[in-house]
Amino acid sequence: MRYERIVEKVTLTLGTAVLVAMAVLIAADVLLRQTMDAGIPTVPDFVSFYLMVAISFIPIAYTQVYRSHVETTVLFQVLPPALKKILLWLNAAIGIGMFSLLTYLSLVEALNQTEKRSFIESGKVLFQIWPSYWLLPISFGAMLFVLCHQIWMARVETEISLPYASGDSETSQ
Amino acid sequence: MSDQTIGLLALIAVLVMIALRAPIAIALLTVTFAAIWHIAGLQPAISILTSVPYNFTSSWTLSSIPMFLFMGYIAYHSGMTKGLFQAARVWLSWLPGGLAISSIVGCGGFASVTGSSMACSAAVGRIAVPEMTQRGYDIRIATGAVAVGGTLGALIPPSLLLILYGIYAQVSITDLFYYGLLLGISSIFMYTATILVLYYISPGRMPMTESFSWQERASSIYGILPAGFLAASVFGGLFLGIFTATEAGAIGVVLAAAISLLTRSLTWEGFIESCKDTLMSCGNIFLIAIAANSFTRMIALSGISSDLGMWLESTDLGPNQILLIIFVMYLILGMFIDPLGAMLLSLPIILPILPDQGISVIWFGMFLAKLLEMGMISPPVGLNVFVIHGIFKETVRLEQVFYGILPFFIADIILVFVLMGARSVLF
């Protein structure tokens, strides 16, 4: 659990910083535009390409630490325990497969964008956006790490530790 | 195998995976990747998974979601929403079934600050249900009123469902908020009428309670001033065109923080809890939204929605009949899948057929929000019902809460038909 706590603390700290920065920057931009008829240059681009990307991906691993990604349990509940166990392991394996793929693809994309030094035109400014592409492989990688760790804990503990087994007591018996 | 067949199988596969407890986002992403690989090849499938996450999320409009979430959680954790039910009780207790009506109006006020249905039910329910049962209210009516009141969070701005719908359907979020507010107020009136009817059928289930003096009424206003000021400033500024819906969320965060610091009601722990809750919601919402956006591309590639549009044109079904089919479909979908998942899963198929049928996309947003909201109180999932049952499980059985919901559910169905009638007149 120690490693998951590290991920939780890092993602919570970064996420909090992003939330506060987003609120302050947008509000300051509106205030300046209303009072001085001139907003802060590049705020919409910084919010879109950095803060929005960060707040979309950083919390994915944080949510997984608490096993809180949305899932439906209504039909699952009526299945026999043996089948439930199989499905929990299968879902965990699919999750690992998908996030491995996302981590790999986003890493390749981040390397491509870095090589191109990609940017957008923001008024008269050339606004570099390539660093923001690195938020994806880092976030997906953190998610992958949490998933693997939870599966590892399930191997040495019980299926209750599996990534998508929140609140399921029957499978742990 | 034709592309349409692959698309259809993909849709079934997603539903099966969700039923077997795969997280909604994982089910959508996995099936999308496999289906596009089959339809167009591996490279397009990789391309979708590479491009969609970044391109979808690097959006200025989307920033309103974390901001409104953050505003709501700060307001909640600073206790700004606590006085809403008490104020409604003091002002409305003279009415027959006054406490039940107060809980619904309190939920409406709560929704205007937080936009969250479940938080709304839980927060108002914790105060209102014990109050009602102590005064001799039938537990079924007490829990039903609070569970249904919570659903106002999906209609009254800043409803997250409406923001996401606006982004997907590319319509003005301010317009959606405006009509959502009207629909929310109409729902409050319908629920109030339902309580009055229940009272006149069986007055013993909702005994009259004491009425309050004007002095007590005036002092109750003090408790809701912070929340009232926050909602009025954010939505006043939005509807008056001073700032956009995207900017309104950030203004709301700064105002909520400033108010709670001035009133010394937000502790450091409360602030951290607000951040944690916001991050948890963002982690869920954005991953599902990204997955649903990828799924939309797959549906478009498969040609299902265009085929469905052509099929509908070839039949003699009019817009109202099609809306009835959609109504039934969402009632069934809402029984098993949470509102966000149900909306994002179905929009790629339904949105493209609306213009040909002469159905306004803004109007459909209201219709959809109302149906999704009904899904939150319909068995067997009914998230709001589970929230209320979870809090009071020692005093009320699940089926009693569902029984309490029933009259309000009928009221919702009537309102849906009124909404369908209004479509041909107003939109």
Side-chain angles (χ1 to χ4, degrees), chain A residues 105-115 130 133-135 137:
Chain A
L105 293 176
S106 58
L107 182 65
V108 172
E109 180 68 1
L111 287 167
N112 284 338
Q113 297 295 336
T114 306
E115 200 178 301
W130 61 267
Y133 280 86
W134 285 96
L135 288 163

Side-chain angles (χ1 to χ4, degrees), chain A residues 26 33-34 48-49 52 56-57 59 62-63 68-73 76 91 99 101 105 132-133 164 166 168, chain B residues 19-24 26 30 46 49-50 53-54 57-60 63 242 247 250 276 279 283-284 290 336:
Chain A
I26 299 175
R33 227 178 34 238
Q34 292 293 331
S48 306
F49 291 99
M52 256 321 290
S56 304
F57 295 103
Y62 180 81
T63 310
S68 289
H69 281 285
V70 178
E71 51 190 52
T72 303
T73 55
F76 183 87
N91 287 336
F99 279 99
L101 187 62
L105 293 176
S132 65
Y133 280 86
Y164 307 120
S166 58
D168 200 81
Chain B
L20 297 179
R21 208 179 168 170
I24 295 175
I26 300 291
T30 310
I46 285 176
L49 275 197
T50 306
Y54 186 88
T57 53
S58 52
S59 150
W60 171 246
S63 66
I242 298 170
E247 294 160 342
K276 284 181 174 180
L279 291 180
N284 262 310
I290 290 162
F336 302 101

Side-chain angles (χ1 to χ4, degrees), chain A residues 8 11-12 15-16 18-20 22-24 26-27 29-31 33-34 43-45 47-49 52-53 55-57 59-60 62-63 66 68-76 79 87-88 91 94-95 98-99 101-102 105-106 109 129 132-133 136 140 143 164-168, chain B residues 17-26 29-31 33 45-46 49-51 53-55 57-64 66-67 70 241-244 246-247 250-251 253-254 271-272 274-284 286-288 290 335-338 340 380-381:
Chain A
E8 183 199 351
T11 48
L12 176 61
T16 300
V18 171
L19 284 173
V20 172
M22 194 184 276
V24 170
I26 299 175
D29 186 46
V30 173
L31 193 70
R33 227 178 34 238
Q34 292 293 331
V43 159
D45 293 318
V47 168
S48 306
F49 291 99
M52 256 321 290
V53 175
I55 207 62
S56 304
F57 295 103
I60 293 175
Y62 180 81
T63 310
Y66 290 94
S68 289
H69 281 285
V70 178
E71 51 190 52
T72 303
T73 55
V74 62
L75 291 179
F76 183 87
L79 298 175
L87 287 171
L88 286 178
N91 287 336
I94 294 172
M98 182 44 69
F99 279 99
L101 187 62
L102 286 169
L105 293 176
S106 58
E109 180 68 1
I129 58 166
S132 65
Y133 280 86
L136 277 76
F140 287 142
M143 173 68 171
Y164 307 120
S166 58
D168 200 81
Chain B
M17 281 182 76
I18 290 172
L20 297 179
R21 208 179 168 170
I24 295 175
I26 300 291
L29 282 170
T30 310
V31 169
F33 183 72
I46 285 176
L49 275 197
T50 306
S51 61
Y54 186 88
N55 293 341
T57 53
S58 52
S59 150
W60 171 246
T61 319
L62 218 54
S63 66
S64 57
M67 290 295 94
F70 200 25
I242 298 170
F243 37 75
T244 65
T246 310
E247 294 160 342
I251 301 283
V253 172
V254 172
F271 173 73
I272 293 299
S274 308
C275 294
K276 284 181 174 180
D277 288 343
T278 308
L279 291 180
M280 198 83 87
S281 301
C282 286
N284 262 310
F286 288 121
L287 192 59
I288 295 178
I290 290 162
M335 287 177 181
F336 302 101
I337 303 177
D338 89 301
L340 181 68
V381 177

